[in-house]
Structures are given as C-alpha cells and as structure tokens.
Amino acid sequence: MKLRRLTRKRATDEVYESLREAILTRYFRPGERLQVDEIADKLGVSLTPVRHAVQQLANEGLIEIKPRSGTFVATLSIEDIEATFEVRIALECLAAEKAIERIKPNELARIEDLIEALSQPVTNEESLRKHEKANSELHQLLIDAAGNKRLAEIYNGLNAHLTIARIHAAERNESRNTEFGKRFEIEQAEHEEIVAALRARDVARMQSALRAHIARAKSTLMNAWQQQG
Ligand SMILES: [Zn+2]
C-alpha cells in the first residue's frame, strides 16, 4: 500500500512539473483547451495523476477548470495584471528590508554576476529568453535573501501569473523587437540602482528603486497588452 501511494504521488509530481513547464514555455497557449486523456496518453500515465496535477495547477492559477465546459490554460485580464504588480511591489519592498540585513556574500556575488549577464544585448528570441531568466533570478534572489519562507511561497505564486501575463503581452506585441535596445538600457540602470542601494544597505533607497522599476515594468507590460488587445 505504502509503495503504491508513493509511486502515485511521484507520477503526479512529474506530470505537474511537465504540464507547468509546458504552460510557462508556451507549448500550451493561454486560453487553450487541455484534453486530460490526450495528455495522459502522451505522457504515458493514467488519468489520475493528470487530474491531480491539473487540480494543483488550477489552485496555482495557471489552469482554469470551467464546469461543463472543460479545462483551459488560464487567461488574465488587465485588472489581474495591475493587481498582481501591486502585490509584487509590496512583497519586494518587504523583502528588501530583510535582505539588506541578511544577505550573504555568495548571494551578493551571484547578484553581481546576474547584473553582468543582464548587460548583454538582447537581439533575438533566444537572448530575450536568457535575459528574462536572469531578470527573474535576480528578483527571486532578493526574495530568497530575505529568508522568509512564507513570503517566498506567496511570491512564487504571483510569478506564475506574471509569466502568463508576459506570454500574452509578447504574443500581442510583435513590434517589440524595435524597442529592445531602449527598454533594456533603462532596465539595466534600474537594476544597478537597486543593487547599489543594497550594497549601501540603504532600505529607503532600495525600496524606492524597486518601486520605480516594478512600476515601469508594469506599465510596459500593460501598454503592450493594450496595444493589440
Ligand atoms: Zn527587474
């Protein structure tokens, strides 16, 4: 009995991981209908772990289960995006207070590496993906450096939504390629200011830098969203 339960649990975890990845990498598009039986078939598992994984992703907000209609990759409204960014600002400003007190030398070194990576030019989809990954890791590091598990959990839940929002915006805004250069120059200056404030252990300065950075990211995303929406 014990062995069977463990096996089933692992299958659910594996299905969960691969579905989550498929959504966040746009293999499944926002609004796309998900066929549980097809997914089970493709992954070579039974329906049960797929149903469990789908439920888990629904709790996280990545999947919407509509009664009598089906299971869909979540879509977001402009209000959802705005609300998510407001909470993100609050969480990152809270994290900043703690991170300034607790940050370790190796974390600071990793942050320096990420700032360096973020200074590399973004010219195509591949470099954009790398850039966004480094950007997320930088913010994640600041959250982790705060050493508050609950805060990190809430932040991770938000992140899934923000990733979905970015996917939507990217699909709606094909002209963004022409804006690559300028946008990243501003972003880099903002990141450098955040890290300079952290190094100077200046809470107020770091919070105002974070607020400005996240608010700008929010309006960029919302503009992209509205342009084609
Ligand atoms: Zn950033």
Side-chain angles (χ1 to χ4, degrees):
M1 282 314 256
K2 202 175 175 189
L3 201 64
R4 248 172 79 194
R5 267 176 62 200
L6 274 176
T7 307
R8 195 187 296 157
K9 186 169 187 297
R10 196 157 51 226
T12 299
D13 287 347
E14 278 170 18
V15 174
Y16 165 83
E17 287 300 337
S18 76
L19 281 183
R20 192 170 196 278
E21 171 95 12
I23 293 170
L24 296 184
T25 58
R26 295 200 237 178
Y27 177 81
F28 293 125
R29 303 292 173 119
E32 185 172 336
R33 188 196 193 103
L34 297 175
Q35 304 285 2
V36 172
D37 47 350
E38 259 177 39
I39 292 168
D41 209 42
K42 275 188 189 155
L43 294 175
V45 296
S46 67
L47 287 175
T48 310
V50 179
R51 288 203 185 105
H52 285 163
V54 161
Q55 190 55 56
Q56 237 171 299
L57 289 161
N59 296 343
E60 235 179 274
L62 285 178
I63 283 180
E64 280 174 88
I65 301 170
K66 297 180 187 167
R68 287 181 299 279
S69 169
T71 300
F72 301 86
V73 178
T75 55
L76 292 179
S77 67
I78 194 96
E79 290 81 11
D80 289 330
I81 296 176
E82 192 160 24
T84 304
F85 270 97
E86 275 171 20
V87 178
R88 193 186 149 193
I89 288 175
L91 293 182
E92 292 200 33
C93 284
L94 173 61
E97 271 176 48
K98 304 283 168 198
I100 277 181
E101 290 168 20
R102 309 177 59 143
I103 193 140
K104 300 181 193 93
N106 65 319
E107 289 171 326
L108 211 48
R110 180 64 190 149
I111 285 174
E112 300 290 351
D113 289 348
L114 288 167
I115 291 288
E116 166 61 26
L118 286 165
S119 72
Q120 300 305 308
V122 173
T123 50
N124 53 31
E125 280 296 322
E126 167 76 22
S127 55
L128 176 64
R129 239 194 312 276
K130 267 194 195 160
H131 185 92
E132 286 184 349
K133 211 174 153 222
N135 189 4
S136 302
E137 192 186 336
L138 173 67
H139 288 274
Q140 185 73 53
L141 244 167
L142 295 173
I143 294 287
D144 293 343
N148 181 328
K149 258 193 184 170
R150 289 294 292 145
L151 174 64
E153 279 167 20
I154 297 166
Y155 188 81
N156 289 340
L158 275 192
N159 249 345
H161 284 218
L162 289 175
T163 305
I164 289 279
R166 277 189 209 106
I167 292 168
H168 282 243
E171 291 194 333
R172 286 166 187 230
N173 191 13
E174 285 167 5
S175 66
R176 81 207 144 101
N177 285 309
T178 55
E179 294 162 22
F180 270 163
K182 201 173 140 215
R183 187 188 127 196
F184 291 115
E185 217 173 276
I186 298 168
E187 189 200 83
Q188 184 68 6
E190 290 167 350
H191 283 149
E192 282 171 9
E193 169 63 9
I194 293 166
V195 176
L198 174 64
R199 249 193 261 105
R201 315 223 173 238
D202 185 336
V203 175
R205 181 179 164 196
M206 187 172 169
Q207 289 178 331
S208 98
L210 278 167
R211 226 174 265 125
H213 173 59
I214 300 167
R216 204 231 357 109
K218 171 182 132 185
S219 60
T220 302
L221 187 57
M222 287 177 70
N223 283 341
W225 183 280
Q226 277 166 327
Q227 256 174 37
Q228 321 264 326

